[in-house]
Amino acid sequence: MAEYAMGMVGLGVMGKNLSWNMEEKGFSVAAHDAWPEPVDKFVAESAGKNVAGFKDLGEFVRSLRRPRRIILLIKAGAVTDKGIAGLLPHLEPGDILVDGGNEYFRETERRAKELADKHIKFFGMGVSGGEEGARHGPSMMPGGDKAAYEELAPVFTKIAAQVADGPCVTYIGPGGAGHYVKMVHNGIEYGDMQLIAEAYWLLKHLGGLSNQELHDTFAEWNAGELSSFLIEITRDIFKTQDPEGPGELLDKVLDQGQMKGTGKWTVMDAAEIGVAIPTIATSVEMRVLSSAKAARVTASKALPGPTGLSKQDKKQLIADVRAALYASKACSYAQGLGLIGKASDERGWGVQISELARIWQGGCIIRAQFLTRIKEAYQRDPKLANLLLDPGFVAELGPRQAGWRNVISLAARAGLPVLTMGASLGYYDTVRAEHLPVNLVQAQRDLFGAHTYKRVDRDGDFHSKWR
């Protein structure tokens, strides 16, 4: 007999925690997984809760009230296609499927079209916040079938993270808009994480800060303008002891980055629609470069670098790195939000950037104090060409330039890689440049390929004989 309000397919960390979140907010949950062990574990851990686990897919679907409302939290790509294909024979017109995984937005659009032909309502929804967010309140970015979202809005507004501005969920837009915004959210996250890593490296190698001093420094930063979830967890990482032996655990972690695809997808689409995102792009490139650990070890013995740089005054270095991190972080958000704005305009999604800043204030990985100011900037000017041009950010970045430029210079002279922080400064200087050396590039293109060029003193396209 159908009795459960919500269905969950996938009982990994996110699926089971989101199920418990929904149950806690008053929604009974039926759950299914392709493997029996996660179902047994879920049932055992859910004693006393209004949930049920099902190993048989048909029995699972039959347990749900109509129209059935099912969230999928399974691996993107072929696994999601297989999961949907398995469900379809058991579904009826009007049932709702929600893909809550990190899926490529083009795949979401394809599935939406295929399922619409079968009269199944479907939308893709980015879910940010990891295990803790799923359990206690994530930030959610749903996009696709608006009527389907509105039917589920009473559920999502209750299970989302709650901040002073309301629940951290909003309808993003049609098509693949929800998964696209989550994709770029993750790209901003890549940039933010790499910038923090570079700040740590500068303080450790130029200032000689111990892990305890790094903990204290990040604790101070988290009480000010840099306050954010990522700064907070970084603070805690510095003091975590190695359970396997003496010292801090961080020093035992291999410097070899990994990624699952959202950062790469962000860079790919930025190139496709013509938006520069160097802070985000270099953060992806740093994970790629770091993965070649053996090659780097070999190169470290073969390629010469600076002989070293004397240790810097700690107090001044900490102040300069703090300034550089804040300014570079602003560039990461400016690039990501600019990319979303351009994609929304080209694809007719109607995404409200101020709403994104609002729902990212709680639950998600990139939640930060200055998102309130970003929200206010886009409320003042919804068509803001670049976040850096908001008068508030103009006023803040100006005084931070000296410290920003100083640490990039120090890093270069010491041979310390700050690819992402350096790219951020390069982006800032390029955005504010009245003239760029691209006139020479255009001349080169015209010389070897007759691609033509434009002149500064008259209209039209020109081709010249250069030699």
Side-chain angles (χ1 to χ4, degrees):
M1 182 177 179
E3 57 178 311
Y4 293 97
M6 295 295 300
M8 175 64 69
V9 174
L11 287 171
V13 170
M14 293 294 288
K16 70 179 183 179
N17 278 284
L18 199 65
S19 295
W20 290 331
N21 184 351
M22 289 190 289
E23 190 276 340
E24 190 176 79
K25 302 303 189 301
F27 305 99
S28 57
V29 178
H32 167 79
D33 195 278
W35 304 97
E37 292 83 3
V39 177
D40 290 336
K41 186 177 180 182
F42 175 72
V43 171
E45 293 176 340
S46 302
K49 298 182 185 298
N50 192 10
V51 303
F54 295 89
K55 297 174 185 177
D56 181 82
L57 192 58
E59 187 180 354
F60 158 73
V61 174
R62 289 191 294 273
S63 76
L64 296 169
R65 299 172 193 162
R66 298 181 184 176
R68 302 173 181 97
R69 305 181 296 183
I70 300 171
I71 300 173
L72 295 93
L73 274 170
I74 54 181
K75 189 176 180 180
V79 174
T80 296
D81 281 329
K82 184 177 179 181
I84 292 173
L87 283 166
L88 278 175
H90 306 284
L91 299 179
E92 296 176 332
D95 288 346
I96 301 171
L97 288 182
V98 181
D99 180 3
N102 278 331
E103 185 57 273
Y104 185 50
F105 77 103
R106 299 279 190 198
E107 292 293 284
T108 301
E109 292 176 336
R110 171 182 63 80
R111 291 176 186 134
K113 185 177 184 304
E114 292 172 354
L115 289 167
D117 292 341
K118 302 178 188 301
H119 306 289
I120 302 298
K121 298 177 181 179
F122 175 81
F123 61 90
M125 180 172 72
V127 181
S128 179
E131 179 179 358
E132 181 182 350
R135 180 66 184 87
H136 300 293
S139 174
M140 296 182 289
M141 294 147 261
D145 189 315
K146 190 172 184 180
Y149 167 71
E150 288 174 347
E151 190 165 335
L152 280 169
V155 178
F156 294 146
T157 53
K158 284 189 178 180
I159 68 172
Q162 307 291 320
V163 296
D165 284 343
C168 293
V169 60
T170 191
Y171 178 72
I172 301 298
H179 272 148
Y180 188 90
V181 164
K182 177 57 164 58
M183 176 187 82
V184 180
H185 162 288
N186 285 18
I188 295 170
E189 179 184 307
Y190 273 53
D192 215 346
M193 292 172 71
Q194 180 59 33
L195 290 169
I196 292 170
E198 292 177 2
Y200 145 67
W201 213 233
L202 289 165
L203 294 174
K204 179 182 177 72
H205 290 282
L206 293 180
L209 272 69
S210 66
N211 285 339
Q212 181 60 53
E213 289 174 311
L214 286 162
H215 168 269
D216 295 343
T217 297
F218 274 71
E220 181 180 346
W221 289 359
N222 197 50
E225 77 285 357
L226 285 170
S227 175
S228 67
F229 174 72
L230 287 171
I231 294 290
E232 175 189 323
I233 65 170
T234 304
R235 173 201 66 192
D236 295 341
I237 286 170
F238 289 126
K239 68 176 181 180
T240 301
Q241 297 299 301
D242 181 5
E244 304 296 327
E248 288 79 31
L249 182 57
L250 176 62
D251 297 330
K252 309 300 193 306
V253 177
L254 182 66
D255 58 326
Q256 197 167 17
Q258 298 178 353
M259 55 185 171
K260 292 186 176 180
T262 46
K264 178 185 71 174
W265 295 338
T266 302
V267 175
M268 287 168 53
D269 197 65
E272 181 177 326
I273 66 175
V275 177
I277 55 168
T279 303
I280 296 170
T282 51
S283 70
V284 174
E285 289 161 359
M286 277 298 293
R287 295 197 190 188
V288 175
L289 287 165
S290 74
S291 68
K293 175 68 175 178
R296 287 190 290 113
V297 171
T298 299
S300 70
K301 297 175 174 59
L303 297 175
T307 56
L309 192 68
S310 60
K311 289 290 188 290
Q312 304 297 302
D313 175 76
K314 285 186 180 181
K315 185 176 180 180
Q316 185 60 54
L317 180 67
I318 289 171
D320 287 350
V321 172
R322 181 175 185 164
L325 179 56
Y326 185 86
S328 298
K329 180 185 179 79
C331 290
S332 185
Y333 281 79
Q335 293 163 28
L337 294 173
L339 174 57
I340 291 171
K342 178 74 177 295
S344 176
D345 288 344
E346 291 204 354
R347 293 161 180 153
W349 288 338
V351 178
Q352 295 183 47
I353 304 297
S354 62
E355 270 290 275
L356 302 186
R358 183 188 69 78
I359 67 170
W360 290 347
Q361 290 177 89
C364 75
I365 302 301
I366 63 170
R367 61 185 183 267
Q369 183 185 76
F370 87 155
L371 276 164
T372 300
R373 297 183 44 256
I374 294 176
K375 178 198 70 175
E376 292 168 350
Y378 280 97
Q379 284 177 335
R380 285 191 296 271
D381 183 2
K383 294 297 182 182
L384 184 63
N386 189 308
L387 177 64
L388 303 185
L389 296 176
D390 174 72
F393 281 94
V394 170
E396 287 201 339
L397 296 183
R400 287 175 167 82
Q401 277 192 73
W404 195 8
R405 297 181 189 283
N406 186 44
V407 295
I408 301 300
S409 174
L410 287 172
R413 286 188 280 137
L416 293 174
V418 286
L419 192 63
T420 300
M421 199 173 282
S424 300
L425 180 58
Y427 172 78
Y428 176 81
D429 282 338
T430 301
V431 166
R432 69 179 192 85
E434 183 178 356
H435 300 290
L436 292 169
V438 182
N439 58 326
L440 178 58
V441 174
Q442 291 300 97
Q444 292 168 335
R445 294 178 72 248
D446 189 53
L447 186 153
F448 66 67
H451 293 297
T452 74
Y453 61 93
K454 294 186 182 296
R455 296 180 60 100
V456 298
D457 55 353
R458 63 189 71 176
D459 294 332
D461 296 315
F462 297 87
H463 169 59
S464 299
K465 183 175 178 60
W466 294 92
R467 64 177 184 179

